[in-house]
Amino acid sequence: MVTTMMRSLSLLLALLPVSLVALTPSSQLLDLHASLLSSVSSQIPLTPTDYTSVVGSHPRGSATWHAESSPQFLTGVSSYVCDGAVGLDCWMGPSYDVPNCLLTVAECEGGSFEVRADLVARGADPLGSNPQILEKYYNPHLAWRDEAMAMPGAKALPPLGSFNRRLVDSPMKLEIGGLDFDSAKSLAEGHLSFWLGAVADAQQVAARLRGGFNLRDDKIRQFYYRGLAEEFTAMYGEDEGRLIASLHTGPVAEAYVGGGS
């Protein structure tokens, strides 16, 4: 029984962030968050929805689900603050093959910063099977990742503990800590700028392929919610953890939050 309890404790600790995140974000981090959202909205006009006010609130921060004002590119954008971290997740719609853009910047005790950023592959084809996807969205972004790892103080972070979250990750996901604010800001802006450029240059996919994108996008959001729920439940308890996961993921089908597929 003791061995079982120790294994359960080890699993719980594996889900927690490695660094101690500050309890509240600094004004400079909040300003960066607002600037990142403004960058998206200036290119793809967004409208805040009442999703999060309907779902509920929590004392650790806030979240807003933004819909595209004139739907064309996006399913929506989730903008959130939780403890000392800010995030901006941009979810594409099925008419384009551009990856989803996930971005979180966290301020840690001691004044260092962490950046977790990814371009989540979409569509029915496994990443790597279509060389055009690599050439458009991944190979050009690898230099940004290499530059990040060469920044002063930069250190690779262990991957998040949730298996469901790792199912969403692409091979080029950046998880880096030990940064000063200017370095974290530069990385976040560079990541989002690359994605916005990809959206601006994107061409619509053939109508016959959109069902495959829809199907895969559904699964991505399902795994993303489950992974967040595991992580936040380990940190904040089940009720609050699942609430924060729902707020950060945005509106999804009932089957997602219920665990169905």
Side-chain angles (χ1 to χ4, degrees):
M1 181 175 180
V2 173
T3 301
T4 301
M5 291 175 62
M6 291 300 295
R7 287 175 178 171
S8 299
L9 179 59
S10 297
L11 176 60
L12 175 62
L13 292 174
L15 292 171
L16 298 177
V18 175
S19 301
L20 293 175
V21 175
L23 293 179
T24 57
S26 62
S27 59
Q28 63 181 354
L29 185 55
L30 291 175
D31 288 345
L32 172 61
H33 189 224
S35 175
L36 294 171
L37 178 60
S38 178
S39 296
V40 177
S41 190
S42 64
Q43 178 173 321
I44 310 170
L46 302 173
T47 301
T49 72
D50 65 353
Y51 168 75
T52 53
S53 63
V54 172
V55 172
S57 61
H58 62 92
R60 303 181 185 279
S62 61
T64 303
W65 177 260
H66 305 263
E68 195 172 359
S69 299
S70 299
Q72 180 181 359
F73 297 103
L74 302 177
T75 295
V77 173
S78 179
S79 172
Y80 50 87
V81 177
C82 187
D83 287 341
V86 300
L88 194 68
D89 296 338
C90 305
W91 301 98
M92 292 295 298
S95 297
Y96 297 84
D97 62 7
V98 178
N100 299 311
C101 177
L102 306 185
L103 175 61
T104 304
V105 183
E107 186 169 2
C108 302
E109 292 184 355
S112 66
F113 290 82
E114 297 177 351
V115 174
R116 297 181 188 268
D118 202 3
L119 296 175
V120 177
R122 303 169 53 241
D125 297 329
L127 185 61
S129 62
N130 184 343
Q132 292 183 354
I133 296 295
L134 294 178
E135 289 300 323
K136 285 192 295 184
Y137 304 130
Y138 291 94
N139 292 346
H141 204 35
L142 291 178
W144 165 86
R145 193 181 190 285
D146 293 341
E147 290 171 4
M149 297 309 302
M151 286 181 166
K155 58 181 180 181
L157 299 173
L160 295 172
S162 167
F163 176 70
N164 282 296
R165 275 293 300 276
R166 295 200 300 274
L167 285 174
V168 175
D169 294 348
S170 83
M172 70 146 289
K173 182 179 182 181
L174 178 71
E175 297 178 285
I176 188 172
L179 303 172
D180 60 26
F181 175 75
D182 288 341
S183 295
K185 179 176 182 287
S186 175
L187 285 179
E189 291 174 340
H191 181 64
L192 190 61
S193 177
F194 179 85
W195 178 79
L196 286 171
V199 174
D201 294 338
Q203 302 294 318
Q204 288 193 349
V205 301
R208 68 179 184 277
L209 300 177
R210 294 175 191 172
F213 277 91
N214 253 333
L215 180 63
R216 178 58 183 161
D217 287 344
D218 286 349
K219 288 297 183 183
I220 290 173
R221 298 287 297 284
Q222 178 181 2
F223 289 129
Y224 188 74
Y225 167 79
R226 290 176 177 175
L228 289 183
E230 290 170 354
E231 292 166 17
F232 290 134
T233 294
M235 291 187 282
Y236 307 129
E238 183 169 359
D239 291 343
E240 188 172 348
R242 289 185 174 276
L243 171 62
I244 298 174
S246 295
L247 293 172
H248 288 198
T249 305
V252 293
E254 184 178 354
Y256 295 4
V257 297
S261 58

